[in-house]
Amino acid sequence: MGARVRMADPADPRLAELRDLNRAESRPDRPGGSGLVVAEGRLIVERLLASRYPVRLVAGTAARLDELAAGPGLPAGATVAEVDRATISAVVGFDFHRGVLATADRAPEHSVAEVLAGARTLLVLEGVGDHENIGALFRNAAGLGVDGVLFGAACADPLYRRSVRVSMGHVLRVPFAHLPGGTTTWQRGLAGLRERGFRVVAMTPGESSAPLWEAMAAERVALVVGAEGPGLTEHAMRACEVRARIPMAAGADSLNVATAAAVGLYERARTLAGPMGQPRVT
Amino acid sequence: MGARVRMADPADPRLAELRDLNRAESRPDRPGGSGLVVAEGRLIVERLLASRYPVRLVAGTAARLDELAAGPGLPAGATVAEVDRATISAVVGFDFHRGVLATADRAPEHSVAEVLAGARTLLVLEGVGDHENIGALFRNAAGLGVDGVLFGAACADPLYRRSVRVSMGHVLRVPFAHLPGGTTTWQRGLAGLRERGFRVVAMTPGESSAPLWEAMAAERVALVVGAEGPGLTEHAMRACEVRARIPMAAGADSLNVATAAAVGLYERARTLAGPMGQPRVT
């Protein structure tokens, strides 16, 4: 277990990486893809401790550190700082009431092959540039049984602080990888999924799409969603085998991308469970 | 059509109700339930103009006002202020780039009987205290064919500015009413729904709940959801006929309440559409 050190001085250099946390997301020294992983609050810190990301620092109140020590245990090799709420608030720059936070280095990303190994249900994202949506997509993916997430082009960083928080830490659990290529070439990776036996389903509104429930009965499914507003590119839709839509009421807008994905993934889980006399997919 | 008046002075008293919009939600002179209805951006302003709420003021750039005049028309009896972006930004207190906003008085709320009339699918909320979740619930309800929303106790104000915005204006379209009673008595309204032929379905995780897809095949369904975390009260669950759950993966959290409702409402829409040989509910 890491040695636990009391720190009472907000200027303590060992706490430097927590300084001005609200501004950390826009720091020029932390460009997209290279920032530290930050976990806030007990639940997400526990998921970080259980993850493959090398923990650097855990800073928390005595009570929170005791809980972690009694639960998953505190990481060896990391700095474990016992701080009171006033100190941690002064360091991070806002009233930090969650009692514990932690940082970790990024680990090398999984390969696409690693994400695919054994997977039956994948979620593929294109053009989802909003960190909150990325987080919500991972939360929904984890809840609804997705085996892995693949990124096409133009998506936000899943390990950004806000994505981690909104995902409830599930970005640290659900394997993900980036398909290679740029905005008009990454879609070749979808052909690769089809070659490996995945039915690649584009979620897209419109009359040329089948109702969602007609699309999911396959041994392996990759559900492809795009950003709200623009939706999937034509390149992406052409690389998919099936187009599926959520039937929408007249006069309504499309759903938020994370909500739409949750509906699609629920339909996938329902199909796999084989309810009401429908053939169970095996 | 309302007479269009150019206003270039941010101190113009005719624009007073837009002043410091970001602070307006916490103004002591606008307690919950009595504030003005505020619509921001073209889409939501159009929904306000098409609603039953009496419009007081429309303030926008010349281009945006022209669009409204050519589309739904500008409301007679309301002040129509032509302003440039700098003026409107100075009034509301932040850079307002959407080009148009509008205010309306609240209209008397629908009665429960009005919301029920002709409805086949209702959404019932308990303890949803977050304005963003209320907005998202209305957006999802509108998209997935809900005929009306009923509020149990302890819910946030659906006409709060933030709820209106997150709902994409659908709180102005989907009829809603509050069931009478307090935190432990409002649930009698659920018994009233059952007497009127609604299957009242509690969405709640846990082994005693049936999978969602077994719960929705009824002529009339009222789907009842509670806040994330605490979920529905025992009082509410006891007043429901059926408990239904979204099957969740191991190690996952529950879904966000608006996301869970979207999944439930999708399942309801799917059941009504009667796909794949299942009997169409009539």
Side-chain angles (χ1 to χ4, degrees), chain A residues 6 21 84 115 124 149 176 184 212 272:
Chain A
R6 256 200 74 73
L21 208 55
D84 59 26
V115 172
V124 185
V149 175
F176 64 83
T184 59
L212 199 53
L272 281 175

Side-chain angles (χ1 to χ4, degrees), chain A residues 157-237:
Chain A
D157 176 9
L159 295 177
Y160 216 59
R161 174 173 161 239
R162 182 146 189 78
S163 307
V164 174
R165 193 166 63 221
V166 174
S167 83
M168 310 286 279
H170 287 297
V171 291
L172 308 171
R173 289 180 73 226
V174 179
F176 64 83
H178 284 74
L179 291 167
T183 50
T184 59
T185 53
W186 76 268
Q187 298 90 348
R188 289 175 201 155
L190 297 176
L193 294 178
R194 292 174 70 174
E195 284 158 20
R196 285 158 168 272
F198 283 88
R199 178 181 290 179
V200 180
V201 180
M203 280 192 74
T204 181
E207 288 309 307
S208 65
S209 298
L212 199 53
W213 51 78
E214 295 177 5
M216 294 297 173
E219 167 59 21
R220 284 187 276 277
V221 166
L223 195 67
V224 189
V225 300
E228 261 178 272
L232 291 171
T233 59
E234 266 302 311
H235 274 84
M237 284 196 284

Side-chain angles (χ1 to χ4, degrees), chain B residues 27-198:
Chain B
R27 278 189 190 169
D29 58 326
R30 293 193 184 167
S34 69
L36 292 179
V37 180
V38 178
E40 295 156 87
R42 182 179 168 188
L43 178 69
I44 301 180
V45 167
E46 285 189 1
R47 288 187 173 144
L48 179 64
L49 297 184
S51 78
R52 65 198 189 90
Y53 296 93
V55 178
R56 298 163 55 97
L57 168 67
V58 181
T61 60
R64 285 281 178 267
L65 294 179
D66 288 346
E67 288 166 352
L68 289 173
L74 287 162
T79 302
V80 177
E82 185 185 314
V83 290
D84 59 26
R85 179 166 158 183
T87 304
I88 198 168
S89 295
V91 176
V92 301
F94 56 95
D95 179 29
F96 190 83
H97 55 85
R98 295 190 194 83
V100 63
L101 55 73
T103 62
D105 285 314
R106 290 180 177 229
E109 189 170 297
H110 286 295
S111 68
V112 173
E114 285 169 335
V115 172
L116 262 56
R120 296 184 75 186
T121 304
L122 297 173
L123 179 64
V124 186
L125 310 181
E126 180 185 47
V128 182
D130 179 85
H131 291 103
E132 221 166 303
N133 280 337
I134 293 283
L137 283 158
F138 270 83
R139 181 181 177 189
N140 296 344
L144 293 160
V146 163
D147 300 305
V149 175
L150 294 173
F151 287 95
C155 290
D157 176 9
L159 294 177
Y160 217 59
R161 174 174 162 241
R162 182 146 190 77
S163 306
V164 174
R165 192 168 62 221
V166 174
S167 83
M168 311 287 279
H170 287 297
V171 293
L172 309 171
R173 289 178 74 225
V174 179
F176 64 83
H178 284 74
L179 291 167
T183 49
T184 59
T185 54
W186 76 268
Q187 297 90 348
R188 288 175 200 152
L190 297 176
L193 294 179
R194 293 173 68 174
E195 285 159 18
R196 285 158 169 273
F198 283 87

Side-chain angles (χ1 to χ4, degrees), chain A residues 2 5 25 60 72 83 91 93 96 137 143-144 147-148 156 161 182 198 235 239 242 251 256 264 266 268 276:
Chain A
V5 185
E25 298 193 318
V83 291
V91 176
F96 190 83
L137 282 158
L144 294 160
D147 300 305
R161 174 173 161 239
F198 283 88
H235 274 84
V242 182
N256 164 276
Y266 161 78
R268 169 64 174 162
M276 297 182 77

Side-chain angles (χ1 to χ4, degrees), chain A residues 43 47 132 139-140 142-145 167-168 170 173 212-214 217 228 246-256 258-259 262-263 266-267 269-270 273 275-276 278, chain B residues 43 47 132 139-140 142-145 167-168 170 173 212-214 217 228 246-256 258-259 262-263 266-267 269-270 273 275-276 278:
Chain A
L43 178 68
R47 288 190 172 141
E132 222 166 302
R139 180 181 179 191
N140 296 344
L144 294 160
S167 83
M168 310 286 279
H170 287 297
R173 289 180 73 226
L212 199 53
W213 51 78
E214 295 177 5
E228 261 178 272
I246 301 169
M248 298 288 290
D253 315 286
S254 63
L255 298 173
N256 164 276
T259 306
V263 169
Y266 161 78
E267 181 59 42
R270 190 189 68 81
M276 297 182 77
Q278 291 175 38
Chain B
L43 178 69
R47 288 187 173 144
E132 221 166 303
R139 181 181 177 189
N140 296 344
L144 293 160
S167 83
M168 311 287 279
H170 287 297
R173 289 178 74 225
L212 199 53
W213 52 77
E214 294 177 5
E228 259 177 274
I246 300 169
M248 297 289 288
D253 315 286
S254 61
L255 298 174
N256 164 274
T259 306
V263 169
Y266 162 79
E267 181 58 44
R270 191 189 67 83
M276 297 182 77
Q278 292 176 36

